[in-house]
Amino acid sequence: MQRAANSMSVIKSPTENSGRVQKFAADRMLGKLAKWLRAMGQDVIYGQHLSGYGLIRAARAENRLILTRDRGLKKKQPPDFLFVESNHYREQLRQVIKACGLNPLVNAFQRCLECNLILQPRSKASVENMVPPYVFSTQENYSWCPKCQRIFWPATHHERMIEELKGLEID
Ligand SMILES: [Zn+2]
């Protein structure tokens, strides 16, 4: 009973904002912001076709929050959107994190930065011939993207990105 009570206390309420994943549609001017949001585990569609009415259609089809720097968009009767104020991705990230109540680290590195798909775990044995030998000999945990089929492992660039995400935490 005691154990059960303790473990219950650490389970997050589903209504808690910090670990939630928001669905976004980022306009084509916001590629760097889109990648950083994906690094945080957020569900972001982004592409050259996503501007103006194309962006509005895509957002409406999947009930996504639009991120845009296009001041003219609001005249086109878009669904919910967030006007991104800054030109710089760090400021953009801060604005989105704050506006949507996101936690930068809780869901970090669960998604392919290129494809936006959730990464799937792979056993070490199954990647032996797919990663460089020095990686295989030093890393234990692997995942892969079912779309681009790239294999991922925790690497130093993740550490740098984590430092950067930590630096964004909002007071
Ligand atoms: Zn991928």
Side-chain angles (χ1 to χ4, degrees):
M1 283 304 282
Q2 190 59 45
R3 282 179 69 102
N6 282 343
S7 58
M8 282 302 288
S9 67
V10 298
I11 294 173
K12 285 185 178 139
S13 142
T15 57
E16 195 171 296
N17 273 344
S18 60
R20 81 196 181 95
V21 173
Q22 168 83 47
K23 287 162 74 177
F24 295 103
D27 85 26
R28 66 181 173 197
M29 292 177 278
L30 296 172
K32 199 159 186 183
L33 174 65
K35 277 202 178 176
W36 276 92
L37 287 169
R38 284 176 183 169
M40 287 168 44
Q42 301 299 315
D43 179 353
V44 188
I45 56 167
Y46 163 76
Q48 284 308 307
H49 60 300
L50 293 180
S51 71
Y53 287 110
L55 181 63
I56 289 171
R57 258 195 309 277
R60 207 168 257 145
E62 297 182 328
N63 206 13
R64 291 172 179 274
L65 175 64
I66 291 175
L67 301 174
T68 187
R69 297 253 316 126
D70 175 7
R71 289 190 187 276
L73 193 78
K74 65 174 173 236
K75 296 190 200 109
K76 301 184 171 86
Q77 297 182 308
D80 288 352
F81 71 99
L82 180 65
F83 180 76
V84 175
E85 311 274 349
S86 174
N87 249 325
H88 299 279
Y89 78 94
R90 277 197 196 88
E91 285 308 313
Q92 294 172 346
L93 266 174
R94 279 204 186 89
Q95 185 192 355
V96 176
I97 288 167
K98 204 163 183 178
C100 299
L102 305 175
N103 182 311
L105 293 169
V106 171
N107 298 310
F109 307 117
Q110 294 181 357
R111 202 173 279 274
C112 180
L113 299 188
E114 300 300 325
C115 309
N116 195 42
L117 261 68
I118 302 260
L119 300 177
Q120 306 294 324
R122 289 277 304 234
S123 69
K124 179 166 179 165
S126 75
V127 302
E128 181 161 9
N129 298 317
M130 302 166 83
V131 300
Y134 75 92
V135 170
F136 189 78
S137 64
T138 55
Q139 300 291 322
E140 296 303 317
N141 298 309
Y142 298 90
S143 56
W144 79 310
C145 170
K147 188 170 177 193
C148 67
Q149 312 210 330
R150 255 179 280 205
I151 306 287
F152 297 85
W153 57 90
T156 48
H157 73 273
H158 274 196
E159 282 162 31
R160 282 204 298 276
M161 288 179 89
I162 286 171
E163 285 312 306
E164 178 127 10
L165 290 175
K166 275 184 185 161
L168 288 168
E169 279 190 293
I170 312 296
D171 32 71

